[in-house]
Amino acid sequence: MNTSKSRSTTSALQIVSLLVILFTTCLAQAPRPEPVTDQETELGQQVYETLLAKGEIIDSSPLYQSLKPVADAITRVAQSRYPHPFKFILVHETQPNAFATPGGNVYVVDSLLHFVKNTEQLAGTLCHEVSHTIHRDGVALMEKEKRIERHEIEAAILLGPTRSHLIAIALIAKLHSLGYSREAESKADVTGSDICAAAGYNPWGLVWLFEDFQNAQVGQIPQLLSDHPANGTRIQTLKQHFQYNPSTFSRFSADPKSATPFSVPKDAPEVFLHPSSNGK
Ligand SMILES: [Zn+2]
């Protein structure tokens, strides 16, 4: 955004209009990643660059305006539990999905915004993902991965790509194939429900999402929650958590009819970010 032309003669009204345009444009744009300061941000940055190279990262879209209020409310509650800033980045993939990486980036697949029926379902999904980051689940996953596939990684290094890039590729694959244990998933559900409740979103949203999946056709089930037999257990764990903590959860209705409808414009235009336009 280059506005370096002399504006000394511009009226105050024009400046205000310009600021409004800039502000609106920024609202609808992907946040940029943090500079690398440690291993977690480095791993997160590698994943970002891999998704960027694949052309998946959506730079600007009206969808960001729908995502932003939910993401902001969750960040206000969750940020104190994690040292790096949470950033919510839209990506274009075929399956409705969301996944979080070490370093604070939470990737939200555009079609998830079309899939969810209400704000509570979206908030529940995002609270769940943020909780994986707070629990360092991605880091633990990669530590396990390193032990299992060290020889493969070492062999590949000889062929050229850097180790961290390979680990990023492995992490992306894991995050897309239900790489976490059911225990880690349930823990993220529980912490996520605490975060959602504190952010003012009905934590039953995630339960409603699970229930919708159980009625959905297999091909339409988002990968992030497609583990059918486990969903029943996850619903039970959440319900128990709500029951044992009435001071936090009794004020929320279990009835999906109480939900806030969530809708986004169909065929919202999407501008993709490419490595050359990353400001590097
Ligand atoms: Zn999960």
Side-chain angles (χ1 to χ4, degrees):
M1 280 176 272
N2 190 345
T3 55
S4 61
K5 249 186 180 176
S6 167
R7 295 275 172 192
S8 56
T9 56
T10 312
S11 75
L13 189 66
Q14 279 174 307
I15 291 173
V16 169
S17 315
L18 183 68
L19 285 175
V20 167
I21 291 164
L22 285 177
F23 185 61
T24 322
T25 312
C26 290
L27 273 184
Q29 273 191 321
R32 295 296 189 264
E34 284 301 288
V36 170
T37 51
D38 67 1
Q39 247 187 340
E40 283 190 55
T41 43
E42 188 188 332
L43 185 51
Q45 177 73 26
Q46 289 292 334
V47 169
Y48 179 87
E49 277 169 21
T50 305
L51 295 172
L52 182 67
K54 286 164 83 182
E56 286 189 15
I57 292 182
I58 299 167
D59 187 29
S60 65
S61 164
L63 294 178
Y64 274 110
Q65 280 159 22
S66 309
L67 177 65
K68 188 178 163 49
V70 185
D72 284 353
I74 292 169
T75 301
R76 275 195 293 276
V77 170
Q79 193 60 75
S80 62
R81 302 199 194 185
Y82 190 68
H84 306 293
F86 285 118
K87 294 187 176 185
F88 294 78
I89 301 165
L90 284 167
V91 287
H92 181 73
E93 293 183 0
T94 49
Q95 282 264 342
N97 198 5
F99 52 97
T101 67
N105 289 347
V106 180
Y107 295 95
V108 183
V109 174
D110 47 7
S111 57
L112 181 72
L113 299 190
H114 297 281
F115 184 90
V116 294
K117 286 184 186 153
N118 51 59
T119 307
E120 291 81 359
Q121 289 183 336
L122 176 66
T125 309
L126 302 183
C127 287
H128 171 94
E129 291 305 327
V130 159
S131 301
H132 276 311
T133 303
I134 292 169
H135 294 163
R136 265 51 179 207
D137 287 338
V139 177
L141 200 62
M142 292 330 288
E143 276 166 4
K144 212 165 71 184
E145 182 77 5
K146 267 186 264 179
R147 283 200 295 275
I148 298 165
E149 293 181 14
R150 187 181 291 269
H151 65 285
E152 288 174 33
I153 291 169
E154 280 167 3
I157 285 169
L158 295 175
L159 299 171
T162 66
R163 181 188 173 83
S164 53
H165 186 215
L166 286 163
I167 291 172
I169 291 169
L171 178 56
I172 291 170
K174 280 274 168 193
L175 292 171
H176 284 76
S177 62
L178 298 165
Y180 295 130
S181 68
R182 286 175 186 183
E183 199 189 359
E185 293 297 358
S186 259
K187 277 187 184 167
D189 291 340
V190 166
T191 302
S193 72
D194 292 340
I195 291 170
C196 265
Y201 291 110
N202 188 338
W204 281 88
L206 198 55
V207 174
W208 299 335
L209 195 64
F210 285 133
E211 286 170 349
D212 278 357
F213 292 157
Q214 284 174 336
N215 302 324
Q217 303 212 333
V218 174
Q220 299 170 332
I221 300 167
Q223 244 163 345
L224 81 157
L225 300 160
S226 67
D227 196 359
H228 268 236
N231 285 352
T233 317
R234 288 172 69 179
I235 290 174
Q236 278 314 311
T237 306
L238 272 174
K239 283 183 176 172
Q240 227 167 44
H241 182 61
F242 297 165
Q243 213 178 350
Y244 290 163
N245 299 280
S247 58
T248 306
F249 297 101
S250 65
R251 66 193 166 105
F252 294 107
S253 167
D255 186 356
K257 289 195 190 88
S258 68
T260 315
F262 182 80
S263 64
V264 287
K266 276 202 167 77
D267 305 318
E270 296 179 332
V271 178
F272 290 91
L273 194 61
H274 297 287
S276 56
S277 58
N278 194 26
K280 290 200 159 188

